[in-house]
Amino acid sequence: ADYIDCHNEFVLLHSVAIAMPKGSSARFARTRDLLDEGCDDIVLISATRGKVRVTQGSKAIDLTAGQMCMAEMNVVGAVDLNKTGGFTTTRFPRRLLLQVAPSAEMQLARPLGHDRALSTMIERYTALCREFAGELDPFGQKTAMQHLTDLVGHFVETGRPKKPVEQ
């Protein structure tokens, strides 16, 4: 209760950053002071174990293992690492993700765990990228980054609310 127990593993995959915090206590937050830097990237937060609480503005999103949500870097928010809940984050430049998922901004700050097969593919491909990205040449890293972006974009687009059909 009186100390932070955390270390982060980071992988840069061309313009996408993957992070996996490990430990039993930490808070990762975007404060008002940090918003001044102007970063508007979108972060996919993937619960890997237990329960994970994500806050984005005034919203709180509770994720369980296997669920995901997207958050904005230009909004006050936080995600907590604790003994019972773990997660990974994948940070995308906004314009890159919007190229493959134009509705991504409509999916922010809400659980995205609607397609279990696709979310499992994203989890496994992210793990593969974390493990081998450092061994890839720049073209390989860019290709892997695009594959990951395409998977996440498809996941986001297949889960968007459908417009009612007008008769």
Side-chain angles (χ1 to χ4, degrees), residues 56-73:
Q56 180 85 125
S58 62
K59 285 182 137 183
I61 306 102
D62 289 321
L63 303 174
T64 57
Q67 285 188 308
M68 301 175 186
C69 76
M70 292 187 307
E72 297 179 275
M73 298 288 290

Side-chain angles (χ1 to χ4, degrees), residues 7 10-11 30 38 41 44 58 60 84 88 91 94 101 108 111 114 121 131 142 154 160 162:
H7 70 275
F10 291 98
V11 172
R30 291 292 291 175
D41 289 353
L44 180 70
S58 62
T84 60
T88 62
R91 180 175 157 175
R94 182 179 294 259
L108 295 165
H114 49 272
M121 284 183 67
E131 188 174 347
K142 185 175 182 181
H154 181 67
R160 70 180 173 177
K162 307 294 185 234

Side-chain angles (χ1 to χ4, degrees), residues 110-122:
R110 52 185 269 197
L112 297 173
H114 49 272
D115 185 331
R116 187 66 187 139
L118 199 48
S119 66
T120 300
M121 284 183 67
I122 292 167

